[in-house]
Amino acid sequence: DVKVTQSSRYLVKRTGEKVFLECVQDMDHENMFWYRQDPGLGLRLIYFSYDVKMKEKGDIPEGYSVSREKKERFSLILESASTNQTSMYLCASSSRDLNGYSNQPQHFGDGTRLSIL
Amino acid sequence: AQSVTQPDIHITVSEGASLELRCNYSYGATPYLFWYVQSPGQGLQLLLKYFSGDTLVQGIKGFEAEFKRSQSSFNLRKPSVHWSDAAEYFCAVGATTDSWGKLQFGAGTQVVVTP
């Protein structure tokens, strides 16, 4: 089974802090994703990565950055945390099929519930 | 760009009754579609997926979904609900032309199961 591990289940930080959320997958997946989940809004894509050191903005990248130095690890960084970034953050990974198409299901971690005070 | 609508925010169903969750998508070509379930405090678990072929797909936990191209729908069904099915359910659509496997998620449907 694919295992996606997020470093913290719950995190409390203060406004202005730099916050790091870590995600590790153990299935050698090429693609990794960061979402935030808010009630009534579903999942919104923040950033994604399709290879080491490669990253692309999602739908709501403002206030966030990411880092992917190793294939298995994808970090989400809140440069200067603000209260409107209080949310559930979900990491996911997916592979490509034998033809190189990225049409495989995404596998999710258990999430990090982040509170910014 | 593709989009997903789950018309029902909240559904209450009695244990043992049937369940149907609606999902409508907007996409110019044939999409690939998923249903995920999220239990409280957990991440999303894949229930089933549709890529092509047979339009009725079977998933885990006794769920099935039917792809109807003419209605742009991918509704999830279960014949007899168990109390453990209480959770939030998300429909997701991916574009066959997307190189990176991005998905668009619906807002979710919360399912409550009563005794």
Side-chain angles (χ1 to χ4, degrees):
Chain A
D1 272 359
V2 177
K3 183 72 173 176
V4 179
T5 303
Q6 295 185 231
S7 54
S8 305
R9 293 297 301 276
Y10 301 94
L11 207 54
V12 180
K13 296 291 183 181
R14 297 203 174 275
T15 55
E17 282 192 69
K18 192 169 185 176
V19 180
F20 293 84
L21 302 183
E22 306 288 344
C23 175
V24 177
Q25 51 94 3
D26 66 357
M27 283 300 293
D28 203 36
H29 283 174
E30 293 84 359
N31 307 320
M32 295 189 74
F33 307 84
W34 275 107
Y35 296 90
R36 64 176 284 175
Q37 182 181 16
D38 300 289
L41 297 178
L43 278 70
R44 293 180 291 167
L45 182 63
I46 304 171
Y47 266 96
F48 66 98
S49 167
Y50 54 92
D51 204 346
V52 175
K53 297 190 184 297
M54 306 306 289
K55 60 187 179 185
E56 293 287 338
K57 293 180 180 179
D59 299 320
I60 52 164
E62 295 78 18
Y64 303 94
S65 63
V66 290
S67 172
R68 192 168 181 199
E69 296 297 318
K70 294 184 177 181
K71 190 174 185 180
E72 67 270 19
R73 185 179 296 270
F74 193 34
S75 303
L76 180 69
I77 303 156
L78 286 66
E79 299 289 346
S80 178
S82 64
T83 55
N84 63 11
Q85 293 178 308
T86 291
S87 186
M88 169 74 101
Y89 290 88
L90 291 166
C91 175
S93 71
S94 69
S95 62
R96 298 185 189 136
D97 68 10
L98 296 177
N99 295 314
Y101 292 109
S102 291
N103 57 9
Q104 300 301 300
Q106 292 183 14
H107 300 267
F108 285 82
D110 285 337
T112 295
R113 188 164 293 282
L114 175 65
S115 296
I116 307 296
L117 304 179
Chain B
Q2 66 270 30
S3 66
V4 183
T5 302
Q6 293 181 245
D8 304 305
I9 297 171
H10 189 272
I11 283 180
T12 299
V13 60
S14 299
E15 192 168 14
S18 64
L19 174 68
E20 181 167 14
L21 304 182
R22 295 183 291 164
C23 173
N24 295 102
Y25 68 90
S26 172
Y27 181 55
T30 300
Y32 55 100
L33 296 151
F34 305 93
W35 274 101
Y36 286 87
V37 60
Q38 184 181 34
S39 298
Q42 302 295 316
L44 275 69
Q45 180 184 20
L46 179 70
L47 284 176
L48 46 79
K49 60 187 178 186
Y50 172 78
F51 287 164
S52 64
D54 193 347
T55 57
L56 185 64
V57 293
Q58 303 296 321
I60 62 171
K61 305 187 181 195
F63 285 93
E64 66 178 25
E66 186 171 13
F67 171 62
K68 292 185 176 180
R69 184 191 305 276
S70 61
Q71 298 177 19
S72 297
S73 69
F74 188 56
N75 293 349
L76 181 71
R77 297 192 293 255
K78 186 169 184 177
S80 177
V81 168
H82 188 261
W83 63 266
S84 60
D85 294 322
E88 191 159 21
Y89 292 79
F90 293 93
C91 181
V93 61
T96 50
T97 55
D98 188 296
S99 304
W100 300 311
K102 299 196 308 294
L103 299 180
Q104 195 74 30
F105 285 84
T109 298
Q110 186 71 47
V111 172
V112 173
V113 180
T114 59

